[in-house]
Amino acid sequence: MKYEEAKIKFISTWGSLGSLWGINKAMAQIQALLFISTKPLSMEEIMKELQISRGNTSMNLRQLIDWGIVTKEIIPGERREYFQTEKDVQELARVIAKERSRREIQPVIKILKDVSSIEDDGTEKTNELIKQTKALHELTETADAMINKMVNHKQNWVTKSILKLIK
Amino acid sequence: MKYEEAKIKFISTWGSLGSLWGINKAMAQIQALLFISTKPLSMEEIMKELQISRGNTSMNLRQLIDWGIVTKEIIPGERREYFQTEKDVQELARVIAKERSRREIQPVIKILKDVSSIEDDGTEKTNELIKQTKALHELTETADAMINKMVNHKQNWVTKSILKLIK
DNA sequence: TTAAACTTTCAATAATTATTGAAAGTTTAA
DNA sequence: TTAAACTTTCAATAATTATTGAAAGTTTAA
């Protein structure tokens, strides 16, 4: 496998993995392209590389900026804007985990809490609903907290300690 | 909020959360319905409760069985099949994490490994590709291993230890 | 066997989500 | 100011994914 093939493979794999971290294909591909680029890229360059339209590129770049994983780079003397992504994987993981938690997990936790707090009328079905949603609420809250804590430590001594602990 | 309202809210929330654990809406809703049911349900009952077609119910039930979180229950003297889901949240989390890892994360890890092992021709762009995909490969592999290990311990002494460690 | 009571399959269709591209908007240099 | 060089917006369209429902298949009781 040579450079070009590897590059295409990486970008398309990372694109289809987008669903796993909650973003769409084009957004993930743009991030992937910037991630392996040796320099910031312009919108024109991104469009050309990924074969996507101007509108699509513009919207998805804006979303990536909104997520906080892509930044605009102003190159002196240049009219057009250039873009670059966070290059450190640990920091990338931190931002993604935090955003996903905020956008998707927190709202669910809130609803689980509400649902599990309904008045117990003593019937079997109400009992079951309360019991099960309460268990789900606790699990979700714990898992969310753990992932965030984990990923928030830049140095990985914690990771190492945890790995040692659970091996 | 009364039982019926809470039930509907829970099922629709869990349904839309499906994307987070990699399954579709109907599949997640069926699982949610079974999760708070006090007894196994027939296909007829599931269709009626969720207002979905027979075909849809049949296919998604099959998928849930395939994932290993729903089982058929034979009730003596009854012709039709009944279904129930795993009721223990810890076990549920274990199965989901394992399946997601197997179906989605493992294939990506393999590709990252391949891409990061291409021959280094000494150019800057090849260097960057190798460096960045290697970092991503390590991170993905570590995260996957951690989540699986974590969720694999039924007792939660590990969870507690980890929480203490990272707080 | 047969026929009733069920489940599964799958082509057609509906719903959802992503993408295009042209028009409108904005910025900058002269 | 103006016009060239850019970016953003958004209605139309394409692509993808989920759902339906009728026909085919299977199982069981008699």
Side-chain angles (χ1 to χ4, degrees):
Chain A
M1 191 156 53
K2 283 282 164 47
Y3 178 75
E4 275 305 321
E5 198 194 333
K7 175 180 178 178
I8 290 165
K9 206 168 184 180
F10 170 65
I11 291 172
S12 81
T13 305
W14 207 241
S16 65
L17 196 68
S19 66
L20 222 147
W21 43 293
I23 69 176
N24 75 32
K25 203 181 81 180
M27 206 172 144
Q29 288 190 345
I30 293 172
Q31 202 275 327
L33 177 63
L34 293 173
F35 190 69
I36 56 168
S37 172
T38 53
K39 57 176 194 354
L41 299 178
S42 67
M43 216 165 85
E44 208 70 42
E45 289 169 310
I46 295 168
M47 284 166 62
K48 208 177 139 232
E49 281 275 6
L50 302 178
Q51 308 268 51
I52 57 178
S53 73
R54 189 173 299 282
N56 200 2
T57 309
S58 170
M59 287 173 108
N60 285 109
L61 271 172
R62 209 156 46 83
Q63 275 209 77
L64 284 164
I65 291 170
D66 193 49
W67 269 68
I69 50 185
V70 163
T71 50
K72 279 189 192 174
E73 176 83 343
I74 305 299
I75 295 188
E78 286 264 17
R79 182 72 174 274
R80 59 184 63 175
E81 295 170 322
Y82 284 78
F83 302 90
Q84 60 191 351
T85 190
E86 170 62 54
K87 286 271 189 171
D88 175 43
V89 290
Q90 299 261 5
E91 180 62 16
L92 206 56
R94 222 202 90 243
V95 173
I96 291 166
K98 196 176 140 218
E99 284 294 304
R100 266 221 116 172
S101 169
R102 186 176 67 78
R103 292 168 194 239
E104 300 180 69
I105 303 172
Q106 292 303 325
V108 169
I109 288 176
K110 195 185 167 309
I111 287 168
L112 286 176
K113 195 183 165 195
D114 292 350
V115 168
S116 67
S117 319
I118 64 168
E119 196 196 345
D120 189 349
D121 62 11
T123 61
E124 193 188 2
K125 60 186 187 177
T126 302
N127 253 283
E128 184 73 6
L129 176 71
I130 292 173
K131 188 182 117 206
Q132 293 296 81
T133 53
K134 202 171 254 172
L136 225 39
H137 177 247
E138 274 163 30
L139 178 84
T140 311
E141 208 164 43
T142 308
D144 183 57
M146 281 176 67
I147 288 171
N148 273 293
K149 287 265 165 59
M150 208 161 279
V151 108
N152 251 316
H153 286 261
K154 283 202 185 154
Q155 329 82 318
N156 54 4
W157 69 264
V158 192
T159 305
K160 279 176 189 156
S161 310
I162 291 166
L163 277 177
K164 223 174 279 168
L165 194 67
I166 62 190
K167 247 173 193 157
Chain B
M1 190 157 56
K2 283 282 164 49
Y3 177 76
E4 275 304 321
E5 198 195 333
K7 174 181 177 177
I8 290 166
K9 206 167 183 179
F10 170 65
I11 291 172
S12 79
T13 304
W14 207 240
S16 64
L17 195 69
S19 66
L20 221 147
W21 42 292
I23 69 176
N24 75 32
K25 202 181 82 179
M27 206 172 144
Q29 288 190 343
I30 293 172
Q31 202 275 328
L33 177 64
L34 294 173
F35 191 68
I36 57 169
S37 172
T38 53
K39 57 177 194 356
L41 300 178
S42 67
M43 215 165 84
E44 208 71 43
E45 289 168 310
I46 295 168
M47 284 167 61
K48 206 175 141 235
E49 281 274 6
L50 302 179
Q51 309 268 52
I52 57 177
S53 73
R54 188 174 299 283
N56 202 2
T57 310
S58 170
M59 286 173 108
N60 285 110
L61 271 172
R62 207 156 50 82
Q63 276 209 77
L64 284 164
I65 291 171
D66 192 47
W67 269 68
I69 50 186
V70 163
T71 50
K72 280 189 192 175
E73 177 85 342
I74 306 298
I75 296 188
E78 287 264 18
R79 181 71 174 278
R80 60 183 63 175
E81 295 170 322
Y82 284 77
F83 301 91
Q84 61 189 350
T85 190
E86 171 61 54
K87 286 274 189 170
D88 174 43
V89 290
Q90 299 260 4
E91 180 63 16
L92 206 56
R94 224 201 89 244
V95 173
I96 291 167
K98 197 176 139 216
E99 284 294 305
R100 266 222 115 174
S101 170
R102 187 176 66 79
R103 292 168 195 240
E104 300 181 67
I105 303 171
Q106 292 303 326
V108 169
I109 288 176
K110 196 188 166 305
I111 287 168
L112 286 176
K113 195 182 165 196
D114 292 349
V115 168
S116 67
S117 321
I118 64 166
E119 196 197 343
D120 188 350
D121 61 12
T123 61
E124 192 189 2
K125 60 187 190 178
T126 302
N127 253 283
E128 185 72 6
L129 177 71
I130 292 174
K131 188 182 116 207
Q132 292 297 79
T133 53
K134 204 172 252 172
L136 223 40
H137 177 247
E138 273 163 31
L139 178 84
T140 311
E141 207 164 43
T142 308
D144 182 58
M146 281 176 68
I147 287 171
N148 273 294
K149 288 264 165 59
M150 208 161 279
V151 107
N152 251 316
H153 285 260
K154 282 202 185 153
Q155 329 83 317
N156 54 4
W157 70 264
V158 192
T159 305
K160 279 176 190 156
S161 312
I162 291 167
L163 276 178
K164 223 174 283 170
L165 194 66
I166 62 189
K167 247 176 195 157

